[in-house]
Amino acid sequence: MHDLAIKNGLCYIEGEFVHANIGIDGNRITYVGKEEIKGELSVNAKERLVLPGLFNAHTHLAMTLFRGFAEDMPLMDWLKTKIWRAERKLTAKDVYWGSMLGIVEMLKTGTTCFSDLYIHMDEVAKACIESGIRAVLCYGMADRGDPERAKEELEIGEEFIRKWNGGRIKAIFGPHAPYTCSLEFLKEVKEKADQLGVGIHIHVSETREEVKEFLQKYRSRPIEKLEEIGFLSPKTVIAHAIWVDEKEMEILAKRKVSVAHNPVSNLKLASGIARIVEMMKFGINICLGTDGAASNNTYNLFEEIKLTSLLQKVHTGRADALHARDVIEMATANGYKAYQIDGGKIEKGKLADLILLRKSFNYIPLYNPLYSIVYSSFGCEVSHTIVDGRLLVEDGQPLTLNEEKIIERAEKIKEKFLDL
Ligand SMILES: [Zn+2]
């Protein structure tokens, strides 16, 4: 008898869809196979597709509160006149409700783990604990060349890690970017991360201008410089990596750094198209993220899945540039791998983070589920979401969250930003 049994689903196992039963005990998958199994709780997955849960590898979760707040503006204008001013008004409680809103959306669209870099992170951690979702969290630090500030930022970052690291929460360091953090500060962050045995999540080479300015200042490209100061390791995840040359790709591959690709945000902010296929040729681990909801505007990872595939096709001029299977791996196993979490696969012994998809009209006729998922999904096909062995969404309904109340609070918080 298992704690939870998922029966008769068409399951994504080692790159193929096969009929199987899945047994879960505690927070791990303990059985995958054709034998009849029983569970204290059992989910009938007949006519459903079963996938490892999706991993959203780059978010600023509480920015849900700013989606639709300021649109169609040039990037710097948008940041300076709108987003940064609004963020100054953001309280810890607002971040809690904004995070809850993001978590409802993620759980309902099949995301079982996300990696967040933002402010008031205690509130994000609380929202994760209460909702049951898994997360990698870090306080977003920037010293802007001020040694006093560097000291304070590192203290906040470290305190957050000591307070929250463990269980479903993996707490790491989040220096914002090489253009908002000094090299001295980045070196200190790396030393501290090594001491504590934790990873680092950072933005690198998102815009052409940022790389140009970096080159002028340091006479070296950002990733070359990060390599020079010993910053890169298999525990580093860099978001974006759009303006990266081949020498830098070689460095990323050598240091086993993972790249979080955010295609919707990159298009919306006109940042560019990351060279994903080329990076894959170097053997770089690519995972997918949405970035913040102000530049996306959703946390529905199925949008990133489809767009990743389409963008690489048009970018390389080859319709076979990426296989649907590669993109599914980016959205699942590669995210778990990037942050060293033992999930992302339907396999005995792995963490039980799984989702069930119904075969809705947009999947019909169903020739190959891989293609339906990558090219036809809206996100609303997700019927069940299981995180850490616990059922969090059943038949599309969140079990641990009060969706109505969260919506009401978010609408109320909106009012304070209306005069900006
Ligand atoms: Zn970002």
Side-chain angles (χ1 to χ4, degrees):
M1 178 78 82
H2 297 282
D3 291 345
L4 177 60
I6 301 164
K7 295 185 187 175
N8 306 311
L10 193 52
C11 308
Y12 181 77
I13 299 169
E14 287 174 13
E16 304 293 339
F17 278 89
V18 292
H19 283 283
N21 297 315
I22 302 169
I24 294 166
D25 291 282
N27 65 350
R28 299 265 169 186
I29 297 171
T30 50
Y31 176 80
V32 181
K34 305 262 183 206
E35 281 170 35
E36 280 288 317
I37 57 168
K38 284 196 169 124
E40 295 283 347
L41 184 68
S42 122
V43 174
N44 181 9
K46 198 165 189 292
E47 298 300 313
R48 306 271 158 126
L49 306 172
V50 187
L51 265 190
L54 306 182
F55 195 118
N56 188 340
H58 182 66
T59 64
H60 311 291
L61 192 61
M63 290 187 94
T64 42
L65 298 170
F66 305 133
R67 61 172 146 214
F69 163 63
E71 303 290 1
D72 308 330
M73 296 170 71
L75 178 62
M76 278 334 272
D77 218 23
W78 175 76
L79 279 173
K80 284 181 183 162
T81 67
K82 289 287 187 177
I83 297 298
W84 288 341
R85 284 175 68 197
E87 279 183 338
R88 280 198 284 274
K89 284 190 163 195
L90 208 59
T91 65
K93 260 286 143 262
D94 297 341
V95 167
Y96 171 82
W97 289 109
S99 300
M100 278 299 204
L101 184 62
I103 291 172
V104 169
E105 183 182 354
M106 288 196 291
L107 288 176
K108 288 179 86 164
T109 54
T111 289
T112 49
C113 190
F114 68 102
S115 178
D116 199 49
L117 183 156
Y118 207 49
I119 49 174
H120 298 303
M121 292 306 291
D122 283 346
E123 301 299 319
V124 186
K126 278 182 213 162
C128 294
I129 301 281
E130 286 171 31
S131 63
I133 199 165
R134 191 186 303 284
V136 181
L137 304 179
C138 60
Y139 165 66
M141 308 181 289
D143 71 320
R144 296 185 189 270
D146 174 352
E148 259 317 294
R149 188 162 169 190
K151 201 166 153 264
E152 284 164 21
E153 291 284 82
L154 195 60
E155 271 169 23
I156 302 172
E158 184 180 351
E159 198 191 315
F160 177 77
I161 291 169
R162 292 192 189 275
K163 187 168 171 188
W164 293 103
N165 197 23
R168 276 183 290 105
I169 293 180
K170 188 159 195 169
I172 64 173
F173 279 114
H176 175 264
Y179 68 93
T180 49
C181 298
S182 66
L183 297 179
E184 292 68 33
F185 182 57
L186 291 175
K187 269 195 255 180
E188 280 173 41
V189 172
K190 173 64 165 55
E191 271 168 35
K192 192 53 94 175
D194 287 349
Q195 257 176 42
L196 300 178
V198 301
I200 297 175
H201 182 184
I202 184 170
H203 298 89
V204 180
S205 302
E206 178 177 5
T207 67
R208 188 186 256 160
E209 294 69 35
E210 146 202 346
V211 173
K212 211 169 113 192
E213 277 169 29
F214 192 94
L215 258 168
Q216 277 166 357
K217 190 170 171 190
Y218 296 108
R219 306 245 159 258
S220 170
R221 297 182 65 83
I223 290 165
E224 285 179 284
K225 199 53 151 181
L226 292 176
E227 167 71 352
E228 198 184 304
I229 65 166
F231 184 81
L232 304 170
S233 87
K235 287 186 178 173
T236 319
V237 179
I238 65 173
H240 304 303
I242 299 171
W243 302 96
V244 168
D245 70 13
E246 290 192 358
K247 202 170 155 208
E248 289 180 293
M249 288 184 198
E250 231 176 272
I251 294 170
L252 294 178
K254 189 169 110 193
R255 295 290 167 215
K256 296 191 166 53
V257 170
S258 293
V259 168
H261 175 47
N262 306 269
V264 173
S265 170
N266 296 161
L267 291 190
K268 191 168 179 233
L269 299 177
S271 308
I273 302 173
R275 295 157 65 192
I276 298 303
V277 172
E278 283 119 304
M279 286 197 264
M280 283 171 69
K281 280 192 191 134
F282 278 90
I284 297 167
N285 182 49
I286 310 286
C287 45
L288 301 184
T290 54
D291 211 349
S295 62
N296 189 305
N297 297 6
T298 79
Y299 291 122
N300 174 6
L301 209 70
F302 287 100
E303 287 195 2
E304 313 298 325
I305 289 174
K306 182 170 180 173
L307 204 53
T308 294
S309 172
L310 301 189
L311 273 180
Q312 294 307 307
K313 291 177 193 306
V314 77
H315 177 60
T316 57
R318 283 179 25 223
D320 62 349
L322 274 181
H323 191 277
R325 192 181 290 113
D326 296 327
V327 191
I328 297 274
E329 292 292 318
M330 287 180 204
T332 56
N334 293 8
Y336 282 85
K337 185 180 169 197
Y339 291 98
Q340 281 119 23
I341 298 172
D342 192 21
K345 288 181 180 172
I346 299 179
E347 194 180 294
K348 194 177 162 187
K350 294 285 173 194
L351 285 167
D353 291 3
L354 302 165
I355 57 174
L356 271 62
L357 307 170
R358 62 174 80 83
K359 297 177 192 171
S360 71
F361 66 91
N362 45 313
Y363 282 3
I364 307 299
L366 189 72
Y367 292 104
N368 182 337
L370 270 177
Y371 303 144
S372 301
I373 288 168
V374 172
Y375 300 113
S376 300
S377 294
F378 299 135
C380 56
E381 301 79 7
V382 175
S383 65
H384 293 63
T385 302
I386 295 155
V387 180
D388 217 33
R390 186 171 166 214
L391 190 58
L392 301 185
V393 173
E394 185 177 31
D395 289 320
Q397 294 308 312
L399 301 177
T400 52
L401 297 167
N402 184 339
E403 192 175 349
E404 229 171 276
K405 188 176 170 193
I406 293 167
I407 290 171
E408 201 182 292
R409 297 303 291 254
E411 282 288 0
K412 186 86 192 130
I413 293 166
K414 176 184 85 179
E415 288 168 15
K416 73 160 117 177
F417 305 120
L418 293 178
D419 60 344
L420 289 179

